[in-house]
Amino acid sequence: MIDVFTLDLLRNYLLAGAALFILGMLGFLSRRNLIVMFLSAEMMLQGTALTLVAFGRYHGNLTGQVFTIVILTVAACEASIALALIVILYNQRSSLDVTLWQDIREEGVPATPQMQEEAEAEPIEPVPGPESYPILTPAGIEPAHPVQPWLERRK
Amino acid sequence: MSGFFVQNVWMIPCLPLAGALIAAVGARRLRESSHVPVVAGIVLAFLVSLGALFSANPEATTVVARWLSISNLEVPIEFRVDGLTTMMLSMVTFVSSLVAIFAAGYMAGDPGYPRFFALIGLFVFSMTGLVLSNNYMLTYVFWEGVGVCSYLLIGYWHTRPAAAAAAMKAFLVNRIGDFGFAIAIFWLWAVVPGHDLSYGNILSESTLGALPEAARVGIPLLLFWAATAKSAQIPLYVWLPDAMEGPTPVSALIHAATMVTAGVYLIARSMPLIALAPGVQVLIAVTGCATALLSASIALTQNDLKRVMAYSTVSQLGYMFMALGAGVSDVAQLAVVAAMFHLFTHAFFKALLFLASGSVMHAMGDVIDMRRFGGLRHRLPFTHLTFAVGGLALAGIFPLAGFFSKDEILLALKSASHSAAGLGWGWVYALIYWVALLTAFMTAFYTARAYFMTFWGPEKLPSPDDPEAPRPEPGPGHGHGDALPHGAGQDENHGHDHGHDHVGQKSPPIMTFPLLILAGCAILAGILFGPTHLFEHHLHATLGFELLGHGEHGFDLATALISTIAGLLGIGLAYRFYASESPVPGQLATRFRPLYEASLNKFSVDEVYDWVVVKTTKALAVVCEFLDIYLVDQLVIGIAKLPRKLGKDLLAGYQNGLIQFYAAVSALGVAVLLFILLLF
Amino acid sequence: MSTGQVILATLVVLLGAGGSYLLLPHRHGATRSRNVHAAGAVLVSLGLLGFLTFWSPPSPFLAGLFFYLFSIGALVGGLLTVTSRNPIYSALWFASVVLSTAGLFLLAGAQFLAAGTVIVYAGAIIVTFLFVIMLAQMEGKALYDRAARAPASATFTCFLLFWCLLYILGPLHPQQAPETSEGHAQQFAEKSLVRGRNLADFYRLPENHPGRAVLAHSQRPTSALRDASGAEKPDVAGLGEALYSDHLVTVELAGTLLFVALIAAVAITGPKRPVRPGEPAGDAALKT
């Protein structure tokens, strides 16, 4: 079967690749965890690889794939070195927060605080609201209960 | 032979210049002999100019070098050797050499001895160059040169604030005139065919006939403005009395004989051009007359001998301008001849008077207030004799030089009053004629007054107990703090620290010898060159002289008699008042106190200038300073601070060290750029 | 680009941005209620739906289905990677992204690449990430995971860029897919082969233009998707042929790069000196 790779098919891939790239950039710019930042960077690379492969297919040659293989290689190297560096940074401050590392700032510019007061106070999980309160019987009314012998209650 | 002198006329300026350079460069070696190269240079220049004198030819020009050669402006260094030039040259070099010899004795012991002579040599170079130049532009250069030398020489004792201020005043006032000269040159360049500023091109019939209307009046007016500053006429004469702060030989040379005559020379040279505007000529005559009268009336009451001589110079220059201004219609040639003849004789007797005053000052230990000494005729015989000769010449007594020259001027004025009657100006010249006679009377009076106060009466030497002696000064000099000093009439010591050990000693021969020579000239110059018409014939060989109107003007006995009577009256009156201790002058001074005070304070002209000109300029300077500090400087400082503001205050806050922030900003930049590119 | 498409693009971008902002962690680490998360999810879904209208699926039904599946999987996985509070969840969602892109590679005919991506990324890189997370952040969720850095600005920047990309990519005109007759398809395939040349104006470039050399390189038969007879080469074989004939130096360099990276990684983390018998095994011997 001769499949034809038309321009609009190319466009699909390009759009998908662009979207991945954008999402990756979003993650890189907004998350504070070093690992998640790096994952987002890798996602950006995925987007570009997708674009490359699509173009290669569109032009009818394998150069796109070759380039993507090289990118893969580079990504792997980059990951290894990045992780090594992250390990080192973690060893220094026992935290994966990127806000700890701001010593290259200009003199006289105050340091961005790591934690905010209200963030400390917040619980990690969302506290269930009134919807999770147990429903109590109104006082003075005998609750409906099947009388169970005490032996079975234990189960 | 004449060709040789014309070809090598450049030697005349260059010999004194060479002497000046040797004196300047070899100052350390030569020291007390620094006068030798300069005097030698000037004397040699005089000999060459004598040779040129006999080779004068209205068409004789020689190009020495190429100077300016731009597209529309061609100014070679070209010298013209005609009658007017050679006459001026010989006079200038002669008087300069005598003054230089005098100065060798007068300035002996002064620490800046080599500098003085170098400047004298430089001055003679400039003056001879000015007179030789064949091009208005070149004349301007030398005009400035003499101005600079005058500044340097007046301020020779530059550590004295009065001298420094006087030098600046002279230079600045001259500058005002130079401005007029510059504008005249620009205008000439614009209207003259071929943009050629040489005398030969401008002072020719074709060029003069083709000048536009405005230029015919404007250029003579501007040239006269320049001459006003240089030759000390109203309103720019105020620098000359203050120039007496310089050494006496400087006063004799520059402010009597040579530099101040440059203005007269310029007008005489440009006479064909100025004769195109009779109105300007009337103005010249009126200005000269007013100046003569004003300065004579100031000189009546001055107590400083040199000041008297300075005002006398101003007055005599006024005479020369009166003569030049009388050159209407057919009197033109006579007017030029009269003015130049007076210039010629005035150089001799005024230089003589100044040098004699210097001799007196030297003997009196730098005291020049006439009230502090008297009866010096036995103590200083040569000085006394020569001063008397000079004074008589100045007063215009037959047969000394001043008589003939003054007489010619009066004759010119009288002829002009007849000739200009057709133009309606006759009465002006007649009035000027009578005022000139009055001024002659006043001239004789103040000259004789000076003579009698100094040399007559009981002998008195200056002592510290004199009421006019200066009190010990608390601070530096007369420090007014203003740029232009008022230069009070009562000036005390013009001291250079000469030492007072030779008070009362008469002058050495090196100083009396020039005095005698000058006295001889003052006696003979008039009678030898005047009635014999030698001077007039020599001046006929001047460029453009034939363009001037001429007529028959014979010797007028009436004028001669009246002027002689005026002179004798003046001398006689002064004898009555001052030869003996007469109380009359004091009584007259008290009776006419306001007039006396006005005359003594030089009619407060300096004060008026101070208020009108100096204070206005200072206010303007304050405004400019304010603008400079608060506008320009702030702008510059603002620009200088801009990078720091941009960097530190604006952008440094963005460097917070968070790489996510940096990445976000880059991404934002890319996004915005792309957005703009796509949409716009 | 027509006005309708521009408006649609703007709408998609706005929805996506709004949803992402709501889904991202709060900038100070405050807890977001469930409702907010739900609203964010709804917005993002709507945006995604709008985005889907830009796509034109390939005509064979299965291909189209799988294409949609993999693409949506990639995008949803990507969003969840970015917005998860727990870094381990992020890593796992990233694995799903990788698998989806591998699927997309498959659909584009790059089988080797699909396999390679799965092996290298999902198999090696993500595993390594997980190890590091386990080592470094045993509590799972830390405060800095709950807080984002300037989510508003980041969202704005990214989606502005996305809008620009949409603006560029939108008006690429879809071509008419030819009839499925062999002849036309063959011709079209031929045309697709030469498309690269035409697109790059290859023959019109001057002789000494550097781009011509590069393009000539990429048009070599060893790089082509089809061999001389017009039959499609098997992907791995073709890739191997292209790699080892046209891009030999690249391969070698890539290998060298990997080697260097290996050494670098080891050197950075600083190995401990081996303790020989008899030596004191103290921290003094450590080279940190």
Side-chain angles (χ1 to χ4, degrees), chain A residues 56-76:
Chain A
R57 179 68 204 279
Y58 177 70
H59 288 314
N61 58 33
L62 290 160
T63 315
Q65 295 184 30
V66 169
F67 199 17
T68 309
I69 287 183
V70 177
I71 283 185
L72 204 60
T73 312
V74 170

Side-chain angles (χ1 to χ4, degrees), chain C residues 63-277:
Chain C
L65 179 68
F66 274 114
F67 179 75
Y68 270 119
L69 209 63
F70 285 133
S71 312
I72 295 174
L75 293 179
V76 169
L79 189 66
L80 284 166
T81 308
V82 166
T83 57
S84 288
R85 304 308 193 257
N86 195 332
I88 299 173
Y89 287 8
S90 295
L92 292 172
W93 283 118
F94 183 64
S96 84
V97 168
V98 167
L99 287 170
S100 307
T101 33
L104 284 171
F105 286 157
L106 270 175
L107 283 170
Q111 298 97 351
F112 176 78
L113 215 50
T117 307
V118 171
I119 294 170
V120 172
Y121 265 103
I125 293 178
I126 295 178
V127 168
T128 319
F129 273 123
L130 280 170
F131 279 146
V132 175
I133 293 175
M134 296 299 185
L135 281 171
Q137 202 176 315
M138 281 170 256
E139 68 270 21
K141 248 199 265 194
L143 183 59
Y144 47 84
D145 284 317
R146 283 190 289 146
R149 163 106 45 237
S153 325
T155 320
F156 173 74
T157 305
C158 297
F159 279 92
L160 184 63
L161 198 55
F162 190 45
W163 187 90
C164 297
L165 286 169
L166 275 181
Y167 192 87
I168 297 170
L169 292 172
L172 290 179
H173 297 295
Q175 286 162 306
Q176 294 293 58
E179 317 297 315
T180 44
S181 71
E182 286 281 327
H184 283 268
Q186 178 86 11
Q187 273 179 0
F188 203 84
E190 289 296 322
K191 279 198 218 151
S192 79
L193 277 175
V194 303
R195 205 181 291 126
R197 291 197 186 125
N198 291 341
L199 219 59
D201 262 342
F202 177 61
Y203 283 121
R204 292 201 218 136
L205 289 173
E207 284 292 328
N208 53 353
H209 194 280
R212 194 177 167 117
V214 171
L215 284 168
H217 205 97
S218 71
Q219 301 305 320
R220 280 155 68 160
T222 41
S223 290
L225 271 178
R226 294 169 188 278
D227 59 19
S229 64
E232 196 169 342
K233 293 185 213 169
D235 179 56
V236 182
L239 197 57
E241 191 183 13
L243 265 179
Y244 284 96
S245 58
D246 292 333
H247 306 281
L248 184 58
V249 181
T250 314
V251 170
E252 302 301 328
L253 280 177
T256 317
L257 185 64
L258 278 166
F259 183 53
V260 170
L262 167 67
I263 298 176
V266 171
I268 287 173
T269 43
K272 293 196 181 65
R273 263 238 227 109
V275 181
R276 295 184 199 278

Side-chain angles (χ1 to χ4, degrees), chain A residues 4 7 10-11 14 30 48 51 55 71 74 96 121 133 138 141:
Chain A
V4 287
L7 191 60
L10 173 67
R11 192 175 71 164
L14 294 183
S30 56
T48 52
T51 310
F55 268 120
I71 283 185
V74 170
L96 286 174
Y133 296 163
I141 299 177

Side-chain angles (χ1 to χ4, degrees), chain B residues 631-645:
Chain B
L631 212 69
V632 178
D633 274 353
Q634 290 308 313
L635 193 65
V636 172
I637 290 173
I639 292 176
K641 283 195 176 162
L642 198 63
R644 191 191 167 88
K645 268 196 169 34

Side-chain angles (χ1 to χ4, degrees), chain A residues 7-140:
Chain A
L7 191 60
D8 48 342
L9 287 182
L10 173 67
R11 192 175 71 164
N12 297 342
Y13 277 91
L14 294 183
L15 284 170
L20 266 179
F21 183 85
I22 294 300
L23 284 172
M25 191 156 82
L26 182 64
F28 185 83
L29 293 182
S30 56
R31 296 303 297 271
R32 275 168 61 168
N33 191 328
L34 278 167
I35 303 287
V36 177
M37 273 172 69
F38 198 69
L39 279 175
S40 316
E42 292 294 331
M43 199 151 70
M44 281 159 55
L45 276 174
Q46 288 287 90
T48 52
L50 200 55
T51 310
L52 271 168
V53 167
F55 268 120
R57 179 68 204 279
Y58 177 70
H59 288 314
N61 58 33
L62 290 160
T63 315
Q65 295 184 30
V66 169
F67 199 17
T68 309
I69 287 183
V70 177
I71 283 185
L72 204 60
T73 312
V74 170
C77 304
E78 174 199 340
S80 65
I81 297 180
L83 286 173
L85 289 169
I86 289 174
V87 164
I88 298 282
L89 292 177
Y90 176 76
N91 284 343
Q92 298 275 346
R93 300 281 179 98
S94 302
S95 167
L96 286 174
D97 191 357
V98 77
T99 318
L100 291 165
W101 309 101
Q102 40 179 316
D103 289 333
I104 60 169
R105 66 177 179 277
E106 187 73 28
E107 256 184 80
V109 176
T112 314
Q114 257 191 301
M115 314 291 187
Q116 303 280 347
E117 296 257 337
E118 62 255 32
E120 294 264 9
E122 289 281 341
I124 290 190
E125 295 291 342
V127 176
E131 69 272 6
S132 63
Y133 296 163
I135 301 169
L136 301 172
T137 54

